[in-house]
Amino acid sequence: MAHGELFDVAIIGGGPAGLSAGVALARALRSVVVIDAGEQRNLKAEGVHGFLSREGMSPRELVSAGREELARYGGTAVEGFVTSASRDGGNFILSLKDGSTMSARRLLIASGITDDLPELPGVAERWGRDVLYCPYCHGWEIRNQRIGILASDSNAVPEALTFRQWSPDVTLFLNGALSLGPEGEEQLRVRDVRVVDGRVQRLETDNDRLVGVVLDGGHVVPLDVLAVSPATVSKANMLQRLGLEPCGLDEGEGTCLETDESGRTSCPGVWAAGNATDVSAQVMTAAAAGLRAAAAINADLVLADTRQAVEEARAYAR
């Protein structure tokens, strides 16, 4: 079934970036719909960190609060999965998995990314708990614990040195992915970061807690936390019919959308914000990016509305 209303803006993704943009646009008296598939990247985390005044709030609670704010200002939030986007004149038509469609004058992509985790037994089950990625999201909570870093490329050295800020007990597992040079060896040595060669075969748990990793020879290295570096894969494949596809990252494995500073993509009328364009964005920075994109979208619509008003006035005067 099709939705007949033409929205000023359709936002794909109802996480911090999408909801922040939706609230800003609704407060600007724009008709806005936020379409959310309910697959935010941080849903497995116990709490949100680094977000002023919302420290420790559960991700689901934050999303719920954002939806309430959106509704308060007249915005619409719907659950759904957008499969494709196409043009219809100067507008966009979104096709959803349930067969329905929605139309809008402008699009904001805030669909985020998927973490492609290492294929190591136990990692996926513990992701967001004692297997994690971002020290700024979890560092305080894991301070002074036994932290392991699973290397996937040369970024593992600065990653280990960063986690060393929160604990004196850090171990870097080379895992066959990294050969240390003299500089890296020196940096790790002077910061008392242990280096373990060999491959990690699986995680060791006890009472649903990580207690160590098992190496290929069967030796167990005790740990409380394991940091991994997943590939971050864009979830913006619905834009292919518009000629807009995710591109590779400058560093690390994964894909994202390219934008300018306002979030504008190379496709006219389409913006992106949050992890969709910045894979390292935390909750607060993603929300800020959504706000910035909302302002740019509204400014673009103001110009479009003004052009139309001028054309109508000139036509009337003839």
Side-chain angles (χ1 to χ4, degrees), residues 37-64:
E39 299 175 352
Q40 282 78 25
R41 182 188 190 191
N42 66 344
L43 288 182
K44 290 186 177 181
E46 292 182 358
V48 169
H49 302 293
F51 198 130
L52 191 63
S53 81
R54 295 295 180 266
E55 183 65 36
M57 174 183 279
S58 78
R60 294 184 186 279
E61 187 179 354
L62 182 66
V63 167
S64 178

mmCIF file with all atom_site columns, all heavy atoms in Angstrom, residues 37-64:
data_model
loop_
_atom_site.group_PDB
_atom_site.id
_atom_site.type_symbol
_atom_site.label_atom_id
_atom_site.label_alt_id
_atom_site.label_comp_id
_atom_site.label_asym_id
_atom_site.label_entity_id
_atom_site.label_seq_id
_atom_site.pdbx_PDB_ins_code
_atom_site.Cartn_x
_atom_site.Cartn_y
_atom_site.Cartn_z
_atom_site.occupancy
_atom_site.B_iso_or_equiv
_atom_site.pdbx_formal_charge
_atom_site.auth_seq_id
_atom_site.auth_comp_id
_atom_site.auth_asym_id
_atom_site.auth_atom_id
_atom_site.pdbx_PDB_model_num
ATOM 1   N N   . ALA A 1 37 ? 14.635 0.615  10.410 1.00 0.00 ? 37 ALA A N   1
ATOM 2   C CA  . ALA A 1 37 ? 14.604 -0.851 10.356 1.00 0.00 ? 37 ALA A CA  1
ATOM 3   C C   . ALA A 1 37 ? 14.918 -1.476 11.707 1.00 0.00 ? 37 ALA A C   1
ATOM 4   O O   . ALA A 1 37 ? 14.884 -2.699 11.854 1.00 0.00 ? 37 ALA A O   1
ATOM 5   C CB  . ALA A 1 37 ? 15.582 -1.357 9.304  1.00 0.00 ? 37 ALA A CB  1
ATOM 6   N N   . GLY A 1 38 ? 15.260 -0.650 12.717 1.00 0.00 ? 38 GLY A N   1
ATOM 7   C CA  . GLY A 1 38 ? 15.512 -1.163 14.059 1.00 0.00 ? 38 GLY A CA  1
ATOM 8   C C   . GLY A 1 38 ? 16.785 -1.952 14.203 1.00 0.00 ? 38 GLY A C   1
ATOM 9   O O   . GLY A 1 38 ? 16.846 -2.904 14.979 1.00 0.00 ? 38 GLY A O   1
ATOM 10  N N   . GLU A 1 39 ? 17.829 -1.578 13.461 1.00 0.00 ? 39 GLU A N   1
ATOM 11  C CA  . GLU A 1 39 ? 19.079 -2.338 13.502 1.00 0.00 ? 39 GLU A CA  1
ATOM 12  C C   . GLU A 1 39 ? 20.264 -1.433 13.824 1.00 0.00 ? 39 GLU A C   1
ATOM 13  O O   . GLU A 1 39 ? 21.327 -1.532 13.217 1.00 0.00 ? 39 GLU A O   1
ATOM 14  C CB  . GLU A 1 39 ? 19.302 -3.041 12.156 1.00 0.00 ? 39 GLU A CB  1
ATOM 15  C CG  . GLU A 1 39 ? 18.202 -4.034 11.803 1.00 0.00 ? 39 GLU A CG  1
ATOM 16  C CD  . GLU A 1 39 ? 18.367 -4.624 10.414 1.00 0.00 ? 39 GLU A CD  1
ATOM 17  O OE1 . GLU A 1 39 ? 19.248 -4.144 9.672  1.00 0.00 ? 39 GLU A OE1 1
ATOM 18  O OE2 . GLU A 1 39 ? 17.615 -5.555 10.073 1.00 0.00 ? 39 GLU A OE2 1
ATOM 19  N N   . GLN A 1 40 ? 20.082 -0.535 14.795 1.00 0.00 ? 40 GLN A N   1
ATOM 20  C CA  . GLN A 1 40 ? 21.168 0.375  15.146 1.00 0.00 ? 40 GLN A CA  1
ATOM 21  C C   . GLN A 1 40 ? 22.406 -0.395 15.593 1.00 0.00 ? 40 GLN A C   1
ATOM 22  O O   . GLN A 1 40 ? 22.320 -1.429 16.257 1.00 0.00 ? 40 GLN A O   1
ATOM 23  C CB  . GLN A 1 40 ? 20.739 1.337  16.266 1.00 0.00 ? 40 GLN A CB  1
ATOM 24  C CG  . GLN A 1 40 ? 19.859 2.480  15.804 1.00 0.00 ? 40 GLN A CG  1
ATOM 25  C CD  . GLN A 1 40 ? 18.422 2.050  15.589 1.00 0.00 ? 40 GLN A CD  1
ATOM 26  O OE1 . GLN A 1 40 ? 17.963 1.091  16.178 1.00 0.00 ? 40 GLN A OE1 1
ATOM 27  N NE2 . GLN A 1 40 ? 17.718 2.744  14.738 1.00 0.00 ? 40 GLN A NE2 1
ATOM 28  N N   . ARG A 1 41 ? 23.560 0.158  15.258 1.00 0.00 ? 41 ARG A N   1
ATOM 29  C CA  . ARG A 1 41 ? 24.840 -0.499 15.495 1.00 0.00 ? 41 ARG A CA  1
ATOM 30  C C   . ARG A 1 41 ? 25.091 -0.776 16.975 1.00 0.00 ? 41 ARG A C   1
ATOM 31  O O   . ARG A 1 41 ? 25.711 -1.778 17.328 1.00 0.00 ? 41 ARG A O   1
ATOM 32  C CB  . ARG A 1 41 ? 25.940 0.400  14.923 1.00 0.00 ? 41 ARG A CB  1
ATOM 33  C CG  . ARG A 1 41 ? 27.344 -0.138 15.037 1.00 0.00 ? 41 ARG A CG  1
ATOM 34  C CD  . ARG A 1 41 ? 28.345 0.923  14.621 1.00 0.00 ? 41 ARG A CD  1
ATOM 35  N NE  . ARG A 1 41 ? 29.687 0.397  14.483 1.00 0.00 ? 41 ARG A NE  1
ATOM 36  C CZ  . ARG A 1 41 ? 30.757 1.158  14.332 1.00 0.00 ? 41 ARG A CZ  1
ATOM 37  N NH1 . ARG A 1 41 ? 30.625 2.475  14.296 1.00 0.00 ? 41 ARG A NH1 1
ATOM 38  N NH2 . ARG A 1 41 ? 31.950 0.612  14.220 1.00 0.00 ? 41 ARG A NH2 1
ATOM 39  N N   . ASN A 1 42 ? 24.619 0.110  17.849 1.00 0.00 ? 42 ASN A N   1
ATOM 40  C CA  . ASN A 1 42 ? 24.997 0.026  19.261 1.00 0.00 ? 42 ASN A CA  1
ATOM 41  C C   . ASN A 1 42 ? 23.941 -0.634 20.147 1.00 0.00 ? 42 ASN A C   1
ATOM 42  O O   . ASN A 1 42 ? 24.034 -0.543 21.375 1.00 0.00 ? 42 ASN A O   1
ATOM 43  C CB  . ASN A 1 42 ? 25.299 1.428  19.804 1.00 0.00 ? 42 ASN A CB  1
ATOM 44  C CG  . ASN A 1 42 ? 24.069 2.315  19.844 1.00 0.00 ? 42 ASN A CG  1
ATOM 45  O OD1 . ASN A 1 42 ? 23.046 2.018  19.217 1.00 0.00 ? 42 ASN A OD1 1
ATOM 46  N ND2 . ASN A 1 42 ? 24.158 3.416  20.563 1.00 0.00 ? 42 ASN A ND2 1
ATOM 47  N N   . LEU A 1 43 ? 22.976 -1.315 19.575 1.00 0.00 ? 43 LEU A N   1
ATOM 48  C CA  . LEU A 1 43 ? 21.895 -1.861 20.388 1.00 0.00 ? 43 LEU A CA  1
ATOM 49  C C   . LEU A 1 43 ? 22.358 -2.910 21.388 1.00 0.00 ? 43 LEU A C   1
ATOM 50  O O   . LEU A 1 43 ? 21.713 -3.133 22.416 1.00 0.00 ? 43 LEU A O   1
ATOM 51  C CB  . LEU A 1 43 ? 20.801 -2.452 19.486 1.00 0.00 ? 43 LEU A CB  1
ATOM 52  C CG  . LEU A 1 43 ? 19.935 -1.441 18.728 1.00 0.00 ? 43 LEU A CG  1
ATOM 53  C CD1 . LEU A 1 43 ? 18.874 -2.162 17.918 1.00 0.00 ? 43 LEU A CD1 1
ATOM 54  C CD2 . LEU A 1 43 ? 19.285 -0.439 19.682 1.00 0.00 ? 43 LEU A CD2 1
ATOM 55  N N   . LYS A 1 44 ? 23.481 -3.578 21.112 1.00 0.00 ? 44 LYS A N   1
ATOM 56  C CA  . LYS A 1 44 ? 23.976 -4.596 22.034 1.00 0.00 ? 44 LYS A CA  1
ATOM 57  C C   . LYS A 1 44 ? 24.768 -4.001 23.195 1.00 0.00 ? 44 LYS A C   1
ATOM 58  O O   . LYS A 1 44 ? 25.093 -4.714 24.148 1.00 0.00 ? 44 LYS A O   1
ATOM 59  C CB  . LYS A 1 44 ? 24.828 -5.616 21.287 1.00 0.00 ? 44 LYS A CB  1
ATOM 60  C CG  . LYS A 1 44 ? 24.024 -6.510 20.340 1.00 0.00 ? 44 LYS A CG  1
ATOM 61  C CD  . LYS A 1 44 ? 24.899 -7.601 19.749 1.00 0.00 ? 44 LYS A CD  1
ATOM 62  C CE  . LYS A 1 44 ? 24.082 -8.530 18.867 1.00 0.00 ? 44 LYS A CE  1
ATOM 63  N NZ  . LYS A 1 44 ? 24.903 -9.633 18.298 1.00 0.00 ? 44 LYS A NZ  1
ATOM 64  N N   . ALA A 1 45 ? 25.092 -2.728 23.099 1.00 0.00 ? 45 ALA A N   1
ATOM 65  C CA  . ALA A 1 45 ? 25.847 -2.083 24.174 1.00 0.00 ? 45 ALA A CA  1
ATOM 66  C C   . ALA A 1 45 ? 24.954 -1.844 25.382 1.00 0.00 ? 45 ALA A C   1
ATOM 67  O O   . ALA A 1 45 ? 23.748 -1.616 25.252 1.00 0.00 ? 45 ALA A O   1
ATOM 68  C CB  . ALA A 1 45 ? 26.432 -0.764 23.691 1.00 0.00 ? 45 ALA A CB  1
ATOM 69  N N   . GLU A 1 46 ? 25.550 -1.901 26.565 1.00 0.00 ? 46 GLU A N   1
ATOM 70  C CA  . GLU A 1 46 ? 24.777 -1.699 27.781 1.00 0.00 ? 46 GLU A CA  1
ATOM 71  C C   . GLU A 1 46 ? 24.338 -0.255 27.934 1.00 0.00 ? 46 GLU A C   1
ATOM 72  O O   . GLU A 1 46 ? 23.283 0.029  28.505 1.00 0.00 ? 46 GLU A O   1
ATOM 73  C CB  . GLU A 1 46 ? 25.599 -2.115 28.999 1.00 0.00 ? 46 GLU A CB  1
ATOM 74  C CG  . GLU A 1 46 ? 25.871 -3.615 29.071 1.00 0.00 ? 46 GLU A CG  1
ATOM 75  C CD  . GLU A 1 46 ? 26.640 -3.990 30.315 1.00 0.00 ? 46 GLU A CD  1
ATOM 76  O OE1 . GLU A 1 46 ? 26.993 -3.076 31.095 1.00 0.00 ? 46 GLU A OE1 1
ATOM 77  O OE2 . GLU A 1 46 ? 26.887 -5.189 30.518 1.00 0.00 ? 46 GLU A OE2 1
ATOM 78  N N   . GLY A 1 47 ? 25.138 0.687  27.447 1.00 0.00 ? 47 GLY A N   1
ATOM 79  C CA  . GLY A 1 47 ? 24.777 2.085  27.620 1.00 0.00 ? 47 GLY A CA  1
ATOM 80  C C   . GLY A 1 47 ? 25.488 2.980  26.636 1.00 0.00 ? 47 GLY A C   1
ATOM 81  O O   . GLY A 1 47 ? 26.471 2.595  25.999 1.00 0.00 ? 47 GLY A O   1
ATOM 82  N N   . VAL A 1 48 ? 24.974 4.188  26.497 1.00 0.00 ? 48 VAL A N   1
ATOM 83  C CA  . VAL A 1 48 ? 25.569 5.216  25.649 1.00 0.00 ? 48 VAL A CA  1
ATOM 84  C C   . VAL A 1 48 ? 26.596 5.991  26.468 1.00 0.00 ? 48 VAL A C   1
ATOM 85  O O   . VAL A 1 48 ? 26.354 6.332  27.628 1.00 0.00 ? 48 VAL A O   1
ATOM 86  C CB  . VAL A 1 48 ? 24.474 6.180  25.147 1.00 0.00 ? 48 VAL A CB  1
ATOM 87  C CG1 . VAL A 1 48 ? 25.077 7.403  24.481 1.00 0.00 ? 48 VAL A CG1 1
ATOM 88  C CG2 . VAL A 1 48 ? 23.528 5.452  24.198 1.00 0.00 ? 48 VAL A CG2 1
ATOM 89  N N   . HIS A 1 49 ? 27.753 6.262  25.856 1.00 0.00 ? 49 HIS A N   1
ATOM 90  C CA  . HIS A 1 49 ? 28.799 7.016  26.545 1.00 0.00 ? 49 HIS A CA  1
ATOM 91  C C   . HIS A 1 49 ? 29.280 8.156  25.666 1.00 0.00 ? 49 HIS A C   1
ATOM 92  O O   . HIS A 1 49 ? 29.174 8.106  24.435 1.00 0.00 ? 49 HIS A O   1
ATOM 93  C CB  . HIS A 1 49 ? 29.960 6.096  26.921 1.00 0.00 ? 49 HIS A CB  1
ATOM 94  C CG  . HIS A 1 49 ? 29.556 4.953  27.796 1.00 0.00 ? 49 HIS A CG  1
ATOM 95  N ND1 . HIS A 1 49 ? 29.116 5.128  29.091 1.00 0.00 ? 49 HIS A ND1 1
ATOM 96  C CD2 . HIS A 1 49 ? 29.493 3.617  27.544 1.00 0.00 ? 49 HIS A CD2 1
ATOM 97  C CE1 . HIS A 1 49 ? 28.817 3.951  29.616 1.00 0.00 ? 49 HIS A CE1 1
ATOM 98  N NE2 . HIS A 1 49 ? 29.036 3.014  28.695 1.00 0.00 ? 49 HIS A NE2 1
ATOM 99  N N   . GLY A 1 50 ? 29.815 9.187  26.314 1.00 0.00 ? 50 GLY A N   1
ATOM 100 C CA  . GLY A 1 50 ? 30.306 10.338 25.575 1.00 0.00 ? 50 GLY A CA  1
ATOM 101 C C   . GLY A 1 50 ? 29.210 11.263 25.086 1.00 0.00 ? 50 GLY A C   1
ATOM 102 O O   . GLY A 1 50 ? 29.460 12.128 24.250 1.00 0.00 ? 50 GLY A O   1
ATOM 103 N N   . PHE A 1 51 ? 27.993 11.102 25.570 1.00 0.00 ? 51 PHE A N   1
ATOM 104 C CA  . PHE A 1 51 ? 26.872 11.947 25.174 1.00 0.00 ? 51 PHE A CA  1
ATOM 105 C C   . PHE A 1 51 ? 26.454 12.761 26.400 1.00 0.00 ? 51 PHE A C   1
ATOM 106 O O   . PHE A 1 51 ? 25.866 12.232 27.337 1.00 0.00 ? 51 PHE A O   1
ATOM 107 C CB  . PHE A 1 51 ? 25.700 11.084 24.687 1.00 0.00 ? 51 PHE A CB  1
ATOM 108 C CG  . PHE A 1 51 ? 24.678 11.835 23.858 1.00 0.00 ? 51 PHE A CG  1
ATOM 109 C CD1 . PHE A 1 51 ? 24.262 11.335 22.642 1.00 0.00 ? 51 PHE A CD1 1
ATOM 110 C CD2 . PHE A 1 51 ? 24.146 13.031 24.295 1.00 0.00 ? 51 PHE A CD2 1
ATOM 111 C CE1 . PHE A 1 51 ? 23.322 12.007 21.870 1.00 0.00 ? 51 PHE A CE1 1
ATOM 112 C CE2 . PHE A 1 51 ? 23.213 13.709 23.549 1.00 0.00 ? 51 PHE A CE2 1
ATOM 113 C CZ  . PHE A 1 51 ? 22.801 13.197 22.318 1.00 0.00 ? 51 PHE A CZ  1
ATOM 114 N N   . LEU A 1 52 ? 26.780 14.043 26.382 1.00 0.00 ? 52 LEU A N   1
ATOM 115 C CA  . LEU A 1 52 ? 26.544 14.909 27.534 1.00 0.00 ? 52 LEU A CA  1
ATOM 116 C C   . LEU A 1 52 ? 25.103 14.819 28.006 1.00 0.00 ? 52 LEU A C   1
ATOM 117 O O   . LEU A 1 52 ? 24.159 14.962 27.218 1.00 0.00 ? 52 LEU A O   1
ATOM 118 C CB  . LEU A 1 52 ? 26.890 16.351 27.164 1.00 0.00 ? 52 LEU A CB  1
ATOM 119 C CG  . LEU A 1 52 ? 26.947 17.347 28.316 1.00 0.00 ? 52 LEU A CG  1
ATOM 120 C CD1 . LEU A 1 52 ? 28.043 16.974 29.304 1.00 0.00 ? 52 LEU A CD1 1
ATOM 121 C CD2 . LEU A 1 52 ? 27.171 18.761 27.771 1.00 0.00 ? 52 LEU A CD2 1
ATOM 122 N N   . SER A 1 53 ? 24.915 14.563 29.287 1.00 0.00 ? 53 SER A N   1
ATOM 123 C CA  . SER A 1 53 ? 23.631 14.467 29.996 1.00 0.00 ? 53 SER A CA  1
ATOM 124 C C   . SER A 1 53 ? 22.907 13.150 29.746 1.00 0.00 ? 53 SER A C   1
ATOM 125 O O   . SER A 1 53 ? 21.840 12.914 30.320 1.00 0.00 ? 53 SER A O   1
ATOM 126 C CB  . SER A 1 53 ? 22.693 15.629 29.642 1.00 0.00 ? 53 SER A CB  1
ATOM 127 O OG  . SER A 1 53 ? 22.013 15.429 28.405 1.00 0.00 ? 53 SER A OG  1
ATOM 128 N N   . ARG A 1 54 ? 23.459 12.275 28.897 1.00 0.00 ? 54 ARG A N   1
ATOM 129 C CA  . ARG A 1 54 ? 22.806 10.991 28.623 1.00 0.00 ? 54 ARG A CA  1
ATOM 130 C C   . ARG A 1 54 ? 23.740 9.824  28.934 1.00 0.00 ? 54 ARG A C   1
ATOM 131 O O   . ARG A 1 54 ? 23.557 8.723  28.444 1.00 0.00 ? 54 ARG A O   1
ATOM 132 C CB  . ARG A 1 54 ? 22.366 10.916 27.154 1.00 0.00 ? 54 ARG A CB  1
ATOM 133 C CG  . ARG A 1 54 ? 21.293 11.921 26.779 1.00 0.00 ? 54 ARG A CG  1
ATOM 134 C CD  . ARG A 1 54 ? 19.988 11.638 27.524 1.00 0.00 ? 54 ARG A CD  1
ATOM 135 N NE  . ARG A 1 54 ? 18.943 12.583 27.177 1.00 0.00 ? 54 ARG A NE  1
ATOM 136 C CZ  . ARG A 1 54 ? 18.680 13.687 27.865 1.00 0.00 ? 54 ARG A CZ  1
ATOM 137 N NH1 . ARG A 1 54 ? 19.411 13.988 28.939 1.00 0.00 ? 54 ARG A NH1 1
ATOM 138 N NH2 . ARG A 1 54 ? 17.706 14.491 27.498 1.00 0.00 ? 54 ARG A NH2 1
ATOM 139 N N   . GLU A 1 55 ? 24.745 10.064 29.760 1.00 0.00 ? 55 GLU A N   1
ATOM 140 C CA  . GLU A 1 55 ? 25.744 9.060  30.096 1.00 0.00 ? 55 GLU A CA  1
ATOM 141 C C   . GLU A 1 55 ? 25.102 7.803  30.695 1.00 0.00 ? 55 GLU A C   1
ATOM 142 O O   . GLU A 1 55 ? 24.360 7.876  31.678 1.00 0.00 ? 55 GLU A O   1
ATOM 143 C CB  . GLU A 1 55 ? 26.761 9.639  31.070 1.00 0.00 ? 55 GLU A CB  1
ATOM 144 C CG  . GLU A 1 55 ? 27.892 8.718  31.445 1.00 0.00 ? 55 GLU A CG  1
ATOM 145 C CD  . GLU A 1 55 ? 28.776 8.383  30.260 1.00 0.00 ? 55 GLU A CD  1
ATOM 146 O OE1 . GLU A 1 55 ? 28.994 9.272  29.404 1.00 0.00 ? 55 GLU A OE1 1
ATOM 147 O OE2 . GLU A 1 55 ? 29.236 7.236  30.188 1.00 0.00 ? 55 GLU A OE2 1
ATOM 148 N N   . GLY A 1 56 ? 25.375 6.655  30.068 1.00 0.00 ? 56 GLY A N   1
ATOM 149 C CA  . GLY A 1 56 ? 24.881 5.383  30.578 1.00 0.00 ? 56 GLY A CA  1
ATOM 150 C C   . GLY A 1 56 ? 23.481 5.014  30.150 1.00 0.00 ? 56 GLY A C   1
ATOM 151 O O   . GLY A 1 56 ? 23.020 3.901  30.426 1.00 0.00 ? 56 GLY A O   1
ATOM 152 N N   . MET A 1 57 ? 22.772 5.906  29.481 1.00 0.00 ? 57 MET A N   1
ATOM 153 C CA  . MET A 1 57 ? 21.416 5.594  29.011 1.00 0.00 ? 57 MET A CA  1
ATOM 154 C C   . MET A 1 57 ? 21.484 4.438  28.015 1.00 0.00 ? 57 MET A C   1
ATOM 155 O O   . MET A 1 57 ? 22.388 4.371  27.178 1.00 0.00 ? 57 MET A O   1
ATOM 156 C CB  . MET A 1 57 ? 20.787 6.819  28.346 1.00 0.00 ? 57 MET A CB  1
ATOM 157 C CG  . MET A 1 57 ? 19.438 6.555  27.701 1.00 0.00 ? 57 MET A CG  1
ATOM 158 S SD  . MET A 1 57 ? 18.766 8.010  26.840 1.00 0.00 ? 57 MET A SD  1
ATOM 159 C CE  . MET A 1 57 ? 18.076 8.914  28.227 1.00 0.00 ? 57 MET A CE  1
ATOM 160 N N   . SER A 1 58 ? 20.534 3.518  28.081 1.00 0.00 ? 58 SER A N   1
ATOM 161 C CA  . SER A 1 58 ? 20.548 2.401  27.146 1.00 0.00 ? 58 SER A CA  1
ATOM 162 C C   . SER A 1 58 ? 20.246 2.918  25.740 1.00 0.00 ? 58 SER A C   1
ATOM 163 O O   . SER A 1 58 ? 19.471 3.872  25.562 1.00 0.00 ? 58 SER A O   1
ATOM 164 C CB  . SER A 1 58 ? 19.498 1.352  27.537 1.00 0.00 ? 58 SER A CB  1
ATOM 165 O OG  . SER A 1 58 ? 18.201 1.756  27.138 1.00 0.00 ? 58 SER A OG  1
ATOM 166 N N   . PRO A 1 59 ? 20.869 2.326  24.715 1.00 0.00 ? 59 PRO A N   1
ATOM 167 C CA  . PRO A 1 59 ? 20.607 2.774  23.342 1.00 0.00 ? 59 PRO A CA  1
ATOM 168 C C   . PRO A 1 59 ? 19.130 2.739  22.970 1.00 0.00 ? 59 PRO A C   1
ATOM 169 O O   . PRO A 1 59 ? 18.638 3.629  22.273 1.00 0.00 ? 59 PRO A O   1
ATOM 170 C CB  . PRO A 1 59 ? 21.420 1.792  22.504 1.00 0.00 ? 59 PRO A CB  1
ATOM 171 C CG  . PRO A 1 59 ? 22.529 1.359  23.400 1.00 0.00 ? 59 PRO A CG  1
ATOM 172 C CD  . PRO A 1 59 ? 21.913 1.286  24.777 1.00 0.00 ? 59 PRO A CD  1
ATOM 173 N N   . ARG A 1 60 ? 18.417 1.733  23.435 1.00 0.00 ? 60 ARG A N   1
ATOM 174 C CA  . ARG A 1 60 ? 16.991 1.639  23.113 1.00 0.00 ? 60 ARG A CA  1
ATOM 175 C C   . ARG A 1 60 ? 16.204 2.778  23.775 1.00 0.00 ? 60 ARG A C   1
ATOM 176 O O   . ARG A 1 60 ? 15.261 3.320  23.185 1.00 0.00 ? 60 ARG A O   1
ATOM 177 C CB  . ARG A 1 60 ? 16.439 0.286  23.557 1.00 0.00 ? 60 ARG A CB  1
ATOM 178 C CG  . ARG A 1 60 ? 17.025 -0.886 22.780 1.00 0.00 ? 60 ARG A CG  1
ATOM 179 C CD  . ARG A 1 60 ? 16.406 -2.208 23.168 1.00 0.00 ? 60 ARG A CD  1
ATOM 180 N NE  . ARG A 1 60 ? 17.078 -3.320 22.523 1.00 0.00 ? 60 ARG A NE  1
ATOM 181 C CZ  . ARG A 1 60 ? 16.859 -3.731 21.285 1.00 0.00 ? 60 ARG A CZ  1
ATOM 182 N NH1 . ARG A 1 60 ? 15.935 -3.110 20.564 1.00 0.00 ? 60 ARG A NH1 1
ATOM 183 N NH2 . ARG A 1 60 ? 17.527 -4.747 20.780 1.00 0.00 ? 60 ARG A NH2 1
ATOM 184 N N   . GLU A 1 61 ? 16.591 3.122  24.987 1.00 0.00 ? 61 GLU A N   1
ATOM 185 C CA  . GLU A 1 61 ? 15.924 4.220  25.675 1.00 0.00 ? 61 GLU A CA  1
ATOM 186 C C   . GLU A 1 61 ? 16.185 5.540  24.955 1.00 0.00 ? 61 GLU A C   1
ATOM 187 O O   . GLU A 1 61 ? 15.293 6.395  24.858 1.00 0.00 ? 61 GLU A O   1
ATOM 188 C CB  . GLU A 1 61 ? 16.413 4.302  27.121 1.00 0.00 ? 61 GLU A CB  1
ATOM 189 C CG  . GLU A 1 61 ? 15.661 5.312  27.978 1.00 0.00 ? 61 GLU A CG  1
ATOM 190 C CD  . GLU A 1 61 ? 16.164 5.355  29.403 1.00 0.00 ? 61 GLU A CD  1
ATOM 191 O OE1 . GLU A 1 61 ? 17.027 4.517  29.761 1.00 0.00 ? 61 GLU A OE1 1
ATOM 192 O OE2 . GLU A 1 61 ? 15.705 6.230  30.167 1.00 0.00 ? 61 GLU A OE2 1
ATOM 193 N N   . LEU A 1 62 ? 17.401 5.718  24.455 1.00 0.00 ? 62 LEU A N   1
ATOM 194 C CA  . LEU A 1 62 ? 17.729 6.939  23.722 1.00 0.00 ? 62 LEU A CA  1
ATOM 195 C C   . LEU A 1 62 ? 16.891 7.042  22.450 1.00 0.00 ? 62 LEU A C   1
ATOM 196 O O   . LEU A 1 62 ? 16.349 8.115  22.137 1.00 0.00 ? 62 LEU A O   1
ATOM 197 C CB  . LEU A 1 62 ? 19.216 6.951  23.370 1.00 0.00 ? 62 LEU A CB  1
ATOM 198 C CG  . LEU A 1 62 ? 19.715 8.201  22.644 1.00 0.00 ? 62 LEU A CG  1
ATOM 199 C CD1 . LEU A 1 62 ? 19.635 9.422  23.545 1.00 0.00 ? 62 LEU A CD1 1
ATOM 200 C CD2 . LEU A 1 62 ? 21.141 8.006  22.136 1.00 0.00 ? 62 LEU A CD2 1
ATOM 201 N N   . VAL A 1 63 ? 16.755 5.947  21.716 1.00 0.00 ? 63 VAL A N   1
ATOM 202 C CA  . VAL A 1 63 ? 15.944 5.940  20.498 1.00 0.00 ? 63 VAL A CA  1
ATOM 203 C C   . VAL A 1 63 ? 14.485 6.243  20.836 1.00 0.00 ? 63 VAL A C   1
ATOM 204 O O   . VAL A 1 63 ? 13.812 7.028  20.145 1.00 0.00 ? 63 VAL A O   1
ATOM 205 C CB  . VAL A 1 63 ? 16.064 4.590  19.777 1.00 0.00 ? 63 VAL A CB  1
ATOM 206 C CG1 . VAL A 1 63 ? 14.999 4.458  18.693 1.00 0.00 ? 63 VAL A CG1 1
ATOM 207 C CG2 . VAL A 1 63 ? 17.451 4.441  19.161 1.00 0.00 ? 63 VAL A CG2 1
ATOM 208 N N   . SER A 1 64 ? 13.975 5.640  21.900 1.00 0.00 ? 64 SER A N   1
ATOM 209 C CA  . SER A 1 64 ? 12.593 5.881  22.308 1.00 0.00 ? 64 SER A CA  1
ATOM 210 C C   . SER A 1 64 ? 12.359 7.351  22.653 1.00 0.00 ? 64 SER A C   1
ATOM 211 O O   . SER A 1 64 ? 11.355 7.946  22.244 1.00 0.00 ? 64 SER A O   1
ATOM 212 C CB  . SER A 1 64 ? 12.247 4.996  23.512 1.00 0.00 ? 64 SER A CB  1
ATOM 213 O OG  . SER A 1 64 ? 10.934 5.231  23.958 1.00 0.00 ? 64 SER A OG  1
#
